[in-house]
Amino acid sequence: MRICIIGSSRFPIREPFAGGLEAHTHALARRLSERGHEVTLFAAPGSDPTLGVEELAVEQLEPGTGERSDTSYPPHWWMQEHHAYQGLMLELMRRGHERFDVIHNNSIHHLPVAMADVLRIPMVTSLHTPPTPWLRSAMAHVSPRAVFVAVSRCTAEAWRGTVVSQAILNGVDTDRWVAGPGGGPAVWSGRLVPEKAPHLAIDAARRAGMPLLLAGPLLDEEYVAREVRPRLGDDVRHVGHLDQRALCALVGSARVAVVTPDWEEPYGLVAAEAMACGTPVAALDRGAMREVVLGGGGVLADPHDPAALARAMVTAAGMDRDVVRRTAVEHCSLERMVDSYEQVYRQALESPREAA
């Protein structure tokens, strides 16, 4: 099957990953290629060339004098993204049917959704976020032929008033995320941004009396300066933005992984990664956490009880690591996810579609 994957125009699809969306896109494209599909990934400049990448044309558009002084003019980065996806969709409209059998839209930009109906090949769109105004607007007049997949049942339910979607849980490569020895400091991994709330993990770790290591990119400097840096100390350190091998070693050496969504988490890939390492998870019960952190994988905490997460960390740290690992292999594997997407692609190809 000839598969076109539309990825992020802002963050390259390469290690160290900017976030779960980029890690998911990388794993999906790699495994589809390994299964014999012809995969082309359209993504930001600098993405992993082994994935069959064609770089999105993220041009440095310089605003004119009048645009600079117009306070209603969109931010520069917004125009760059718009230009990149507009160029891609126009090219797919012209020649996409000659190159591809199916398109998998794995971006969170509105243009691929808005322009899907002008294509002569089917598009499958993964919903990675709660409903956003720009995506909801693009879906307002979408064709009944459009195919949507949500990364969790929670996310599918959030979108239910806009579109109907099938839930396919994200997966992790359990051959790469391998069991570790545990016993070390607690770990928190992810983007250091308000909605991921690493400051809550720091507070809980201190309450539980556990040292904590933070790993991930600093994508909101104002938040980090206000909420994270003042909390760092001998018992809590930020170890940087790590590639997958180093992150797997760190997570596998931890006694417990802490996951602290301060929003309705669409999936929570870091929890599945930790479980694949045999590291039990202590997570705030928000969004899809209860779909990922099943009984054998960790402990969920009431997000409204400040002491609950600390108690969950202590309880989770005593869990059987073999059981945690087995839970991830059975419920969070990359193979299960790719099997499901292949089935969706076949169904999309079998659906009747009028020529654009």
Side-chain angles (χ1 to χ4, degrees), residues 276-292:
C277 295
T279 300
V281 174
L284 295 178
D285 189 4
R286 296 288 302 272
M289 280 295 98
R290 60 179 54 199
E291 298 177 48
V292 181

Side-chain angles (χ1 to χ4, degrees), residues 166-252:
Q166 171 185 343
I168 297 177
L169 290 176
N170 288 341
V172 296
D173 188 343
T174 53
D175 292 329
R176 294 191 174 201
W177 291 90
V178 296
V187 68
W188 182 99
S189 60
R191 295 177 289 117
L192 277 77
V193 293
E195 63 268 26
K196 300 294 184 179
H199 68 281
L200 297 180
I202 297 173
D203 293 347
R206 287 214 168 102
R207 190 185 288 261
M210 293 187 193
L212 176 71
L213 299 177
L214 308 172
L218 309 177
L219 295 186
D220 189 326
E221 287 286 355
E222 182 178 339
Y223 161 74
V224 170
R226 183 180 69 250
E227 299 289 354
V228 178
R229 285 202 177 96
R231 287 174 162 88
L232 299 180
D234 292 340
D235 58 336
V236 178
R237 294 186 294 115
H238 178 238
V239 297
H241 188 193
L242 307 179
D243 63 22
Q244 193 173 81
R245 184 184 297 273
L247 187 59
C248 178
L250 176 69
V251 174

Side-chain angles (χ1 to χ4, degrees), residues 53-64:
V53 171
E54 293 190 19
E55 293 186 350
L56 288 167
V58 186
E59 298 181 10
Q60 300 300 313
L61 300 174
E62 290 300 327

Side-chain angles (χ1 to χ4, degrees), residues 27-321:
L28 175 67
R30 175 173 51 80
R31 188 50 53 90
L32 285 170
S33 295
E34 290 170 352
R35 290 190 176 193
H37 298 287
E38 183 181 323
V39 177
T40 302
L41 170 63
F42 291 90
S47 295
D48 186 347
T50 67
L51 299 178
V53 171
E54 293 190 19
E55 293 186 350
L56 288 167
V58 186
E59 298 181 10
Q60 300 300 313
L61 300 174
E62 290 300 327
T65 304
E67 293 163 348
R68 289 192 191 99
S69 61
D70 185 351
T71 57
S72 68
Y73 189 74
H76 195 197
W77 63 264
W78 190 96
M79 288 303 301
Q80 288 180 325
E81 285 201 322
H82 181 88
H83 180 81
Y85 285 113
Q86 177 178 263
L88 171 61
M89 294 308 297
L90 290 173
E91 177 61 22
L92 291 175
M93 182 177 70
R94 288 189 290 263
R95 285 184 284 274
H97 62 285
E98 299 172 1
R99 298 184 58 190
F100 307 114
D101 300 310
V102 65
I103 296 171
H104 186 158
N105 174 31
N106 214 37
S107 75
I108 56 175
H109 200 271
H110 63 279
L111 268 181
V113 174
M115 296 181 67
D117 276 354
V118 303
L119 305 180
R120 285 188 261 178
I121 49 178
M123 177 185 288
V124 175
T125 294
S126 289
L127 302 172
H128 290 276
T129 68
T132 57
W134 48 92
L135 275 178
R136 290 183 64 189
S137 175
M139 294 173 183
H141 305 290
V142 75
S143 165
R145 296 188 305 269
V147 179
F148 292 94
V149 172
V151 297
S152 64
R153 292 188 298 276
C154 170
T155 302
E157 180 61 24
W159 279 99
R160 188 166 62 89
T162 305
V163 293
V164 175
S165 59
Q166 171 185 343
I168 297 177
L169 290 176
N170 288 341
V172 296
D173 188 343
T174 53
D175 292 329
R176 294 191 174 201
W177 291 90
V178 296
V187 68
W188 182 99
S189 60
R191 295 177 289 117
L192 277 77
V193 293
E195 63 268 26
K196 300 294 184 179
H199 68 281
L200 297 180
I202 297 173
D203 293 347
R206 287 214 168 102
R207 190 185 288 261
M210 293 187 193
L212 176 71
L213 299 177
L214 308 172
L218 309 177
L219 295 186
D220 189 326
E221 287 286 355
E222 182 178 339
Y223 161 74
V224 170
R226 183 180 69 250
E227 299 289 354
V228 178
R229 285 202 177 96
R231 287 174 162 88
L232 299 180
D234 292 340
D235 58 336
V236 178
R237 294 186 294 115
H238 178 238
V239 297
H241 188 193
L242 307 179
D243 63 22
Q244 193 173 81
R245 184 184 297 273
L247 187 59
C248 178
L250 176 69
V251 174
S253 68
R255 71 187 74 174
V256 62
V258 192
V259 183
T260 51
D262 199 20
W263 68 324
E264 295 311 302
E265 182 67 57
Y267 178 71
L269 192 64
V270 295
E273 291 168 348
M275 290 161 54
C277 295
T279 300
V281 174
L284 295 178
D285 189 4
R286 296 288 302 272
M289 280 295 98
R290 60 179 54 199
E291 298 177 48
V292 181
V293 184
L294 303 175
V299 180
L300 297 175
D302 182 350
H304 305 294
D305 180 355
L309 185 59
R311 294 195 298 268
M313 290 177 65
V314 173
T315 302
M319 295 179 67
D320 187 322
R321 296 182 65 89

